[in-house]
Amino acid sequence: MQHCVSTYASQCASGAYRIFTLVAQTERATLGITEVAGRWKVDQVRGVANGSVSVHMKAVAKSVAHAYRTGVVLAQDPAATRSRRARVSRA
């Protein structure tokens, strides 16, 4: 996606940062979340080449950060889970 995501490798390895690829409708984005005072929050959400994203994609990013914070996985495929949600196993 022509961005600098690799510069966050050490933060990811230390457990302080998480990076996700988001796809919503025809738009793609990269989401970075960081832990602040014990809560995961959106640090940034960027499109191709660090471009801006739509309001819809920003809402998707917030949903992902909230799901990560609460330990809930949002299933895309209804067949993946009965209720379209599953608890995250934190081993």
Side-chain angles (χ1 to χ4, degrees):
M1 292 213 2
Q2 303 172 3
H3 51 54
C4 57
V5 74
S6 64
T7 63
Y8 292 91
S10 64
Q11 289 175 302
C12 290
S14 74
Y17 205 81
R18 302 287 189 268
I19 297 172
F20 299 88
T21 296
L22 305 180
V23 179
Q25 298 167 350
T26 60
E27 186 176 15
R28 292 184 52 135
T30 301
L31 166 65
I33 62 173
T34 187
E35 192 174 16
V36 177
R39 294 189 62 175
W40 290 94
K41 299 194 179 240
V42 172
D43 177 50
Q44 60 183 321
V45 59
R46 303 280 186 207
V48 175
N50 287 327
S52 59
V53 296
S54 68
V55 171
H56 174 72
M57 185 58 81
K58 288 178 185 176
V60 170
K62 280 183 144 183
S63 293
V64 170
H66 181 266
Y68 194 84
R69 179 171 55 245
T70 60
V72 174
V73 174
L74 304 176
Q76 290 183 338
D77 180 359
T81 61
R82 290 188 179 265
S83 66
R84 294 191 41 86
R85 292 185 185 189
R87 291 307 250 163
V88 173
S89 173
R90 298 218 168 137

